[in-house]
Every structure is written in C-alpha cells, then in structure tokens.
Amino acid sequence: CIIPPQDLWQPIQAIRQQYDKSFEKWPPHVNLMWPFVPKDQFYHATQQLSIPVAQVPAFTLVLDSFTYFEDSKYLFLVPSNT
C-alpha cells in the first residue's frame, strides 16, 4: 500500500472518520493489490518481494482523479498519464 506523508492525513482522516468504521485501525492508505496472498502467507510473500522491490528506483506517482463502480463502496484513484 501507499501511505501518504503524515502532514497530509488530517483532511483524509476527517472523511474517513465519517465513512470508514475502521479508520482508527490503520493510517490513510491506498491499497495497490489487496489481498493477493492469504494472511498466513504474508511473511513468506514479503520475503520474496523485498529484494526485487528494493531494486526499483524511487519514482513519482500522481493520482489526479478517482472513479468508482456503481455497486461498490470503494473509490479508485486514477494515475495521471504524465
């Protein structure tokens, strides 16, 4: 997941407090893939992913719009084409 810098949390948390019953359980975040392995395999998955992910250079990701599916309770952030 992507966790925004803490100085950006306040407006996000204000919205989450109204609509997300679990807002106190974890910080504001964007799930990239969820869930992609069963919970009992998390440790093994992190061990397998840590080396390849560490080799990816830092990059900027701009999420400039969102969308949703009619029957979903989730918003989907859309990356910029730039």
Side-chain angles (χ1 to χ4, degrees), residues 5-80:
Q6 199 163 8
D7 61 329
L8 301 177
W9 287 15
Q10 193 281 325
I12 300 167
Q13 290 295 74
I15 294 169
R16 289 184 69 220
Q17 186 173 15
Q18 289 180 351
Y19 300 105
D20 182 357
K21 65 183 177 190
S22 302
F23 100 101
E24 290 182 336
K25 286 185 178 181
W26 40 76
H29 63 284
V30 176
N31 288 325
L32 299 176
M33 291 175 41
W34 177 84
F36 71 100
V37 295
K39 187 175 182 179
D40 65 344
Q41 295 178 19
F42 279 3
Y43 179 79
H44 181 69
T46 60
Q47 296 305 302
Q48 288 191 307
L49 290 171
S50 63
I51 292 172
V53 168
Q55 295 174 0
V56 175
F59 60 92
T60 299
L61 175 65
V62 176
L63 304 169
D64 62 1
S65 62
F66 66 89
T67 188
Y68 60 94
F69 296 122
E70 286 294 324
D71 295 330
S72 175
K73 62 182 179 178
Y74 300 103
L75 295 175
F76 301 93
L77 296 165
V78 180
S80 170

